[in-house]
Amino acid sequence: MQLELLHLRAGSVSDWKRVVRNVVGITDRPELWTSRQRERARRSRRASLSTNRPGCCRRVKAAPPRPIRSGLMNEVNPMELVNRYFEKLTPVPPKTIPERLVHYTTVPGAQGILNTNRLWSTDARYLNDSTELTYGIEVGREALSRAFSAAGDARIAAMRDVAPTLLDPTVFRSRVPYVTCFCEEPDLLSQWRGYSATASPISIAFDLRAKVASDSLPRASRLGQVIYNRTDQESSAQNLFNKWVSTITPQLDLWSEQPLLAVRVLEASLLELVLLFKHSAFSEEREWRLITPFDPTALALELGNSDRAAIVMSHLPWSTSSDLPELRFRPSHLGLTPYIELDLAEKIGPSAGRLPLTEVMIGPSENASLAAQSMSLFLTVKGYSSAVTPVSTSAIPLRAQL
């Protein structure tokens, strides 16, 4: 029992078989324990802490992800390895986040957001301007090619043979990034022009600083600032490559046996990074993006095997099926656009159940004043104070939008 608990507390997945004693199973998935199993674990832990015998498991620190063992490449699902090592390469959230990040939408869109406390996050391949993704991928691919050429270790340089297959703009092999876009400015002509005057465009300002600081964004989501300077983009890609090299170096001999799998770890992180690369012509937008990796296709395939499904679920950004957002579709000029919904409502405090809104602006439209009055009333009904969340109208004349 002590050995089993040691494995459980360390967070590792041991090779010992499932043990059943007194009709109570011991499992390495604490979230699947019954109340009787939890109580047994608590009693055993109290007993071990009160014992001074050498070797008793008083307190065990969480173990790092298991290193790759010889032959492991052929034993586990490749997606498990990609996701496991992907977490080591995730970028650090920006230190300075604006107090106001603005999401542009329409009146029906704003109504849906306020009714559900959710924002749509769209499959990155189906963003309105496909050239954005193409530009970022080209920058990332060029930076990757130079980095492989300059690699000091011959085994790393040899992986360049599979590098041209990376960063395919139409296929995300291990994770599909879903994106929600924000701007720093609430009244941008370039944004209003994306909507017709009769669509009554609206901008909604959020304060996401507390959510980022408390790590309470939707699970696995990361907020990043878009980079417009080409030199900075290339530098960011090079830094990610260097971090990838240092991450796989401890087991480089094994990784070099499966170079495609190794570079897919790099690909998973780089594909998210290039989503923050945009051409300098768009710099006035001062855009930020909330990126959420999600792979419903791989999950659906794995659900055909319950044992494999448990492994895959433990390494996906969501650990249980109840955490998985529902994959939805909406019609667009690209066909059916996949998207998921992200819950951004406050969970605790006086604003619990409401979004962290700071301002709502009615864009250039024929009846902006009336739209502002009805939106203010709607916010009041939803529990938002006009002092905290004022409603205003755009200073840009309607003719400028046309």
Side-chain angles (χ1 to χ4, degrees):
M1 183 67 176
Q2 296 297 331
L3 176 60
E4 298 155 3
L5 288 172
L6 178 64
H7 283 294
L8 294 179
R9 296 194 191 106
S12 62
V13 182
S14 63
D15 293 327
W16 47 267
K17 296 181 179 179
R18 180 185 176 92
V19 179
V20 177
R21 293 194 179 116
N22 299 329
V23 200
V24 178
I26 304 299
T27 173
D28 63 349
R29 295 284 302 279
E31 67 272 17
L32 300 181
W33 287 359
T34 65
S35 58
R36 185 176 180 185
Q37 289 171 323
R38 295 180 187 280
E39 181 58 32
R40 286 191 63 186
R42 284 194 293 268
R43 288 201 303 267
S44 178
R45 185 172 186 276
R46 286 197 296 268
S48 65
L49 290 174
S50 62
T51 305
N52 292 323
R53 291 183 295 103
C56 94
C57 50
R58 297 183 181 86
R59 189 171 185 178
V60 182
K61 293 184 178 180
R66 290 175 298 162
I68 299 179
R69 304 190 311 271
S70 179
L72 186 61
M73 297 292 188
N74 299 320
E75 296 175 12
V76 300
N77 188 301
M79 193 181 73
E80 176 187 353
L81 286 175
V82 170
N83 286 331
R84 182 192 305 173
Y85 282 82
F86 166 86
E87 296 302 327
K88 294 185 176 183
L89 300 179
T90 53
V92 178
K95 294 182 179 179
T96 304
I97 297 174
E99 64 180 20
R100 178 181 63 188
L101 287 177
V102 182
H103 181 70
Y104 285 82
T105 184
T106 61
V107 167
Q111 186 179 21
I113 291 171
L114 293 167
N115 279 334
T116 64
N117 289 332
R118 296 173 185 269
L119 267 72
W120 288 359
S121 188
T122 303
D123 186 323
R125 297 168 294 181
Y126 294 81
L127 294 174
N128 290 333
D129 187 355
S130 59
T131 60
E132 293 182 7
L133 182 58
T134 303
Y135 170 83
I137 286 176
E138 289 177 354
V139 174
R141 186 175 290 148
E142 291 176 8
L144 195 64
S145 179
R146 289 192 297 270
F148 273 115
S149 298
D153 193 305
R155 292 167 296 178
I156 295 292
M159 293 180 182
R160 184 181 180 180
D161 293 338
V162 296
T165 65
L166 285 173
L167 302 182
D168 189 320
T170 60
V171 179
F172 290 82
R173 293 182 179 85
S174 57
R175 294 182 176 216
V176 179
Y178 283 68
V179 180
T180 305
C181 299
F182 301 89
C183 293
E184 293 188 26
E185 296 299 327
D187 195 10
L188 279 176
L189 178 59
S190 60
Q191 294 296 314
W192 297 133
R193 280 179 170 165
Y195 305 93
S196 66
T198 57
S200 298
I202 288 181
S203 67
I204 305 176
F206 297 82
D207 185 354
L208 300 178
R209 293 174 298 172
K211 282 190 168 293
V212 174
S214 61
D215 195 24
S216 57
L217 286 172
R219 190 165 188 177
S221 298
R222 296 177 179 87
L223 183 65
Q225 185 176 14
V226 171
I227 304 171
Y228 299 98
N229 182 278
R230 181 64 178 255
T231 302
D232 293 340
Q233 294 166 356
E234 294 172 351
S235 177
S236 298
Q238 179 65 54
N239 291 339
L240 180 61
F241 179 85
N242 295 340
K243 190 174 182 180
W244 169 74
V245 171
S246 64
T247 300
I248 68 171
T249 294
Q251 294 90 30
L252 189 53
D253 287 335
L254 292 171
W255 280 114
S256 58
E257 295 174 4
Q258 296 285 341
L260 181 58
L261 189 59
V263 293
R264 282 187 177 177
V265 174
L266 174 62
E267 176 190 50
S269 295
L270 194 56
L271 280 171
E272 289 197 12
L273 179 62
V274 299
L275 287 173
L276 299 177
F277 294 172
K278 292 188 71 172
H279 194 277
S280 57
F282 300 98
S283 59
E284 72 161 1
E285 296 176 354
R286 298 164 66 187
E287 186 178 348
W288 290 67
R289 289 182 168 181
L290 186 62
I291 301 174
T292 306
F294 181 58
D295 194 349
T297 303
L299 178 63
L301 293 175
E302 291 297 338
L303 288 177
N305 183 312
S306 58
D307 295 333
R308 277 297 185 200
I311 294 176
V312 174
M313 290 289 290
S314 67
H315 289 280
L316 281 172
W318 298 270
S319 61
T320 65
S321 59
S322 61
D323 290 333
L324 284 168
E326 180 181 352
L327 183 62
R328 300 173 180 270
F329 300 86
R330 66 178 185 270
S332 71
H333 66 284
L334 296 174
L336 290 177
T337 296
Y339 73 97
I340 58 177
E341 295 183 344
L342 301 180
D343 187 354
L344 291 180
E346 302 286 5
K347 305 304 180 186
I348 58 175
S351 299
R354 294 193 297 274
L355 295 167
L357 302 185
T358 61
E359 180 184 359
V360 175
M361 178 174 288
I362 308 298
S365 57
E366 298 174 352
N367 300 293
S369 179
L370 280 175
Q373 294 178 38
S374 60
M375 178 56 67
S376 180
L377 180 59
F378 181 63
L379 287 170
T380 301
V381 170
K382 289 296 179 180
Y384 296 90
S385 167
S386 59
V388 177
T389 312
V391 178
S392 59
T393 58
S394 171
I396 298 175
L398 176 61
R399 185 178 299 274
Q401 184 200 9
L402 300 177

